[in-house]
PDB file of all heavy atoms in Angstrom:
ATOM      1  N   GLY A1647       9.830  39.128  39.544  1.00 89.00           N
ATOM      2  CA  GLY A1647      10.382  40.407  39.135  1.00 89.00           C
ATOM      3  C   GLY A1647      10.525  40.559  37.643  1.00 89.00           C
ATOM      4  O   GLY A1647      11.286  41.403  37.155  1.00 89.00           O
ATOM      5  N   GLN A1648       9.748  39.789  36.865  1.00 88.00           N
ATOM      6  CA  GLN A1648       9.852  39.835  35.410  1.00 88.00           C
ATOM      7  C   GLN A1648       9.016  40.963  34.805  1.00 88.00           C
ATOM      8  O   GLN A1648       9.341  41.465  33.730  1.00 88.00           O
ATOM      9  CB  GLN A1648       9.412  38.495  34.811  1.00 88.00           C
ATOM     10  CG  GLN A1648      10.290  37.327  35.222  1.00 88.00           C
ATOM     11  CD  GLN A1648       9.710  35.995  34.759  1.00 88.00           C
ATOM     12  OE1 GLN A1648       8.680  35.946  34.117  1.00 88.00           O
ATOM     13  NE2 GLN A1648      10.395  34.915  35.106  1.00 88.00           N
ATOM     14  N   ILE A1649       7.940  41.341  35.477  1.00 90.00           N
ATOM     15  CA  ILE A1649       7.080  42.407  34.979  1.00 90.00           C
ATOM     16  C   ILE A1649       6.734  43.349  36.116  1.00 90.00           C
ATOM     17  O   ILE A1649       7.017  43.066  37.292  1.00 90.00           O
ATOM     18  CB  ILE A1649       5.778  41.850  34.339  1.00 90.00           C
ATOM     19  CG1 ILE A1649       4.944  41.100  35.386  1.00 90.00           C
ATOM     20  CG2 ILE A1649       6.094  40.963  33.151  1.00 90.00           C
ATOM     21  CD1 ILE A1649       3.589  40.669  34.869  1.00 90.00           C
ATOM     22  N   ASP A1650       6.105  44.457  35.777  1.00 92.00           N
ATOM     23  CA  ASP A1650       5.764  45.484  36.747  1.00 92.00           C
ATOM     24  C   ASP A1650       4.843  44.913  37.832  1.00 92.00           C
ATOM     25  O   ASP A1650       3.768  44.392  37.544  1.00 92.00           O
ATOM     26  CB  ASP A1650       5.074  46.652  36.023  1.00 92.00           C
ATOM     27  CG  ASP A1650       4.822  47.836  36.947  1.00 92.00           C
ATOM     28  OD1 ASP A1650       5.220  47.768  38.121  1.00 92.00           O
ATOM     29  OD2 ASP A1650       4.251  48.833  36.475  1.00 92.00           O
ATOM     30  N   GLN A1651       5.277  45.015  39.093  1.00 92.00           N
ATOM     31  CA  GLN A1651       4.498  44.475  40.202  1.00 92.00           C
ATOM     32  C   GLN A1651       3.295  45.347  40.549  1.00 92.00           C
ATOM     33  O   GLN A1651       2.426  44.923  41.311  1.00 92.00           O
ATOM     34  CB  GLN A1651       5.395  44.306  41.428  1.00 92.00           C
ATOM     35  CG  GLN A1651       6.516  43.304  41.231  1.00 92.00           C
ATOM     36  CD  GLN A1651       7.356  43.097  42.485  1.00 92.00           C
ATOM     37  OE1 GLN A1651       7.120  43.743  43.492  1.00 92.00           O
ATOM     38  NE2 GLN A1651       8.336  42.207  42.404  1.00 92.00           N
ATOM     39  N   ALA A1652       3.242  46.554  40.013  1.00 93.00           N
ATOM     40  CA  ALA A1652       2.119  47.441  40.318  1.00 93.00           C
ATOM     41  C   ALA A1652       0.890  47.132  39.465  1.00 93.00           C
ATOM     42  O   ALA A1652      -0.198  47.648  39.727  1.00 93.00           O
ATOM     43  CB  ALA A1652       2.532  48.899  40.098  1.00 93.00           C
ATOM     44  N   LEU A1653       1.038  46.278  38.459  1.00 93.00           N
ATOM     45  CA  LEU A1653      -0.085  45.954  37.594  1.00 93.00           C
ATOM     46  C   LEU A1653      -1.124  45.124  38.337  1.00 93.00           C
ATOM     47  O   LEU A1653      -0.790  44.282  39.173  1.00 93.00           O
ATOM     48  CB  LEU A1653       0.397  45.163  36.373  1.00 93.00           C
ATOM     49  CG  LEU A1653       1.137  45.924  35.267  1.00 93.00           C
ATOM     50  CD1 LEU A1653       1.628  44.936  34.209  1.00 93.00           C
ATOM     51  CD2 LEU A1653       0.239  46.964  34.631  1.00 93.00           C
ATOM     52  N   ASP A1654      -2.386  45.362  38.022  1.00 96.00           N
ATOM     53  CA  ASP A1654      -3.471  44.506  38.500  1.00 96.00           C
ATOM     54  C   ASP A1654      -3.502  43.296  37.565  1.00 96.00           C
ATOM     55  O   ASP A1654      -3.890  43.401  36.404  1.00 96.00           O
ATOM     56  CB  ASP A1654      -4.795  45.271  38.451  1.00 96.00           C
ATOM     57  CG  ASP A1654      -5.954  44.468  39.021  1.00 96.00           C
ATOM     58  OD1 ASP A1654      -5.975  43.234  38.820  1.00 96.00           O
ATOM     59  OD2 ASP A1654      -6.849  45.063  39.637  1.00 96.00           O
ATOM     60  N   ALA A1655      -3.094  42.134  38.063  1.00 96.00           N
ATOM     61  CA  ALA A1655      -2.934  40.956  37.210  1.00 96.00           C
ATOM     62  C   ALA A1655      -4.246  40.554  36.543  1.00 96.00           C
ATOM     63  O   ALA A1655      -4.266  40.202  35.353  1.00 96.00           O
ATOM     64  CB  ALA A1655      -2.375  39.790  38.027  1.00 96.00           C
ATOM     65  N   HIS A1656      -5.333  40.597  37.283  1.00 96.00           N
ATOM     66  CA  HIS A1656      -6.631  40.182  36.711  1.00 96.00           C
ATOM     67  C   HIS A1656      -7.084  41.157  35.628  1.00 96.00           C
ATOM     68  O   HIS A1656      -7.546  40.738  34.556  1.00 96.00           O
ATOM     69  CB  HIS A1656      -7.674  40.081  37.810  1.00 96.00           C
ATOM     70  CG  HIS A1656      -8.959  39.461  37.359  1.00 96.00           C
ATOM     71  ND1 HIS A1656     -10.027  40.214  36.895  1.00 96.00           N
ATOM     72  CD2 HIS A1656      -9.355  38.155  37.268  1.00 96.00           C
ATOM     73  CE1 HIS A1656     -11.020  39.412  36.560  1.00 96.00           C
ATOM     74  NE2 HIS A1656     -10.641  38.156  36.776  1.00 96.00           N
ATOM     75  N   ALA A1657      -6.958  42.451  35.889  1.00 96.00           N
ATOM     76  CA  ALA A1657      -7.347  43.444  34.890  1.00 96.00           C
ATOM     77  C   ALA A1657      -6.452  43.336  33.653  1.00 96.00           C
ATOM     78  O   ALA A1657      -6.936  43.466  32.517  1.00 96.00           O
ATOM     79  CB  ALA A1657      -7.259  44.850  35.487  1.00 96.00           C
ATOM     80  N   ALA A1658      -5.167  43.086  33.867  1.00 95.00           N
ATOM     81  CA  ALA A1658      -4.251  42.932  32.734  1.00 95.00           C
ATOM     82  C   ALA A1658      -4.608  41.700  31.910  1.00 95.00           C
ATOM     83  O   ALA A1658      -4.536  41.722  30.668  1.00 95.00           O
ATOM     84  CB  ALA A1658      -2.821  42.837  33.241  1.00 95.00           C
ATOM     85  N   ALA A1659      -5.023  40.623  32.576  1.00 95.00           N
ATOM     86  CA  ALA A1659      -5.422  39.412  31.867  1.00 95.00           C
ATOM     87  C   ALA A1659      -6.672  39.652  31.022  1.00 95.00           C
ATOM     88  O   ALA A1659      -6.778  39.173  29.889  1.00 95.00           O
ATOM     89  CB  ALA A1659      -5.670  38.283  32.863  1.00 95.00           C
ATOM     90  N   LEU A1660      -7.622  40.404  31.569  1.00 95.00           N
ATOM     91  CA  LEU A1660      -8.827  40.745  30.812  1.00 95.00           C
ATOM     92  C   LEU A1660      -8.487  41.568  29.576  1.00 95.00           C
ATOM     93  O   LEU A1660      -9.019  41.332  28.479  1.00 95.00           O
ATOM     94  CB  LEU A1660      -9.809  41.515  31.700  1.00 95.00           C
ATOM     95  CG  LEU A1660     -10.645  40.705  32.686  1.00 95.00           C
ATOM     96  CD1 LEU A1660     -11.435  41.641  33.593  1.00 95.00           C
ATOM     97  CD2 LEU A1660     -11.597  39.772  31.934  1.00 95.00           C
ATOM     98  N   LEU A1661      -7.601  42.541  29.747  1.00 94.00           N
ATOM     99  CA  LEU A1661      -7.224  43.396  28.625  1.00 94.00           C
ATOM    100  C   LEU A1661      -6.486  42.602  27.551  1.00 94.00           C
ATOM    101  O   LEU A1661      -6.754  42.764  26.355  1.00 94.00           O
ATOM    102  CB  LEU A1661      -6.360  44.557  29.120  1.00 94.00           C
ATOM    103  CG  LEU A1661      -5.894  45.547  28.043  1.00 94.00           C
ATOM    104  CD1 LEU A1661      -7.085  46.148  27.312  1.00 94.00           C
ATOM    105  CD2 LEU A1661      -5.042  46.646  28.667  1.00 94.00           C
ATOM    106  N   LEU A1662      -5.569  41.742  27.958  1.00 93.00           N
ATOM    107  CA  LEU A1662      -4.850  40.915  26.990  1.00 93.00           C
ATOM    108  C   LEU A1662      -5.815  40.023  26.213  1.00 93.00           C
ATOM    109  O   LEU A1662      -5.704  39.877  24.987  1.00 93.00           O
ATOM    110  CB  LEU A1662      -3.815  40.053  27.709  1.00 93.00           C
ATOM    111  CG  LEU A1662      -2.492  40.731  28.072  1.00 93.00           C
ATOM    112  CD1 LEU A1662      -1.689  39.842  29.012  1.00 93.00           C
ATOM    113  CD2 LEU A1662      -1.683  41.044  26.820  1.00 93.00           C
ATOM    114  N   THR A1663      -6.775  39.434  26.915  1.00 91.00           N
ATOM    115  CA  THR A1663      -7.758  38.571  26.257  1.00 91.00           C
ATOM    116  C   THR A1663      -8.582  39.362  25.247  1.00 91.00           C
ATOM    117  O   THR A1663      -8.850  38.892  24.128  1.00 91.00           O
ATOM    118  CB  THR A1663      -8.686  37.930  27.303  1.00 91.00           C
ATOM    119  OG1 THR A1663      -7.898  37.177  28.229  1.00 91.00           O
ATOM    120  CG2 THR A1663      -9.686  37.003  26.647  1.00 91.00           C
ATOM    121  N   ALA A1664      -8.982  40.567  25.620  1.00 91.00           N
ATOM    122  CA  ALA A1664      -9.747  41.408  24.701  1.00 91.00           C
ATOM    123  C   ALA A1664      -8.921  41.774  23.468  1.00 91.00           C
ATOM    124  O   ALA A1664      -9.445  41.818  22.341  1.00 91.00           O
ATOM    125  CB  ALA A1664     -10.202  42.676  25.422  1.00 91.00           C
ATOM    126  N   MET A1665      -7.646  42.004  23.659  1.00 90.00           N
ATOM    127  CA  MET A1665      -6.773  42.344  22.535  1.00 90.00           C
ATOM    128  C   MET A1665      -6.613  41.159  21.595  1.00 90.00           C
ATOM    129  O   MET A1665      -6.654  41.311  20.370  1.00 90.00           O
ATOM    130  CB  MET A1665      -5.418  42.805  23.072  1.00 90.00           C
ATOM    131  CG  MET A1665      -5.484  44.114  23.850  1.00 90.00           C
ATOM    132  SD  MET A1665      -4.020  44.435  24.858  1.00 90.00           S
ATOM    133  CE  MET A1665      -2.833  44.899  23.615  1.00 90.00           C
TER     134      MET A1665
END
Side-chain angles (χ1 to χ4, degrees):
Q1648 297 172 1
I1649 63 173
D1650 186 2
Q1651 297 183 358
L1653 285 175
D1654 184 324
H1656 189 267
L1660 281 173
L1661 180 58
L1662 279 169
T1663 301
M1665 294 164 74

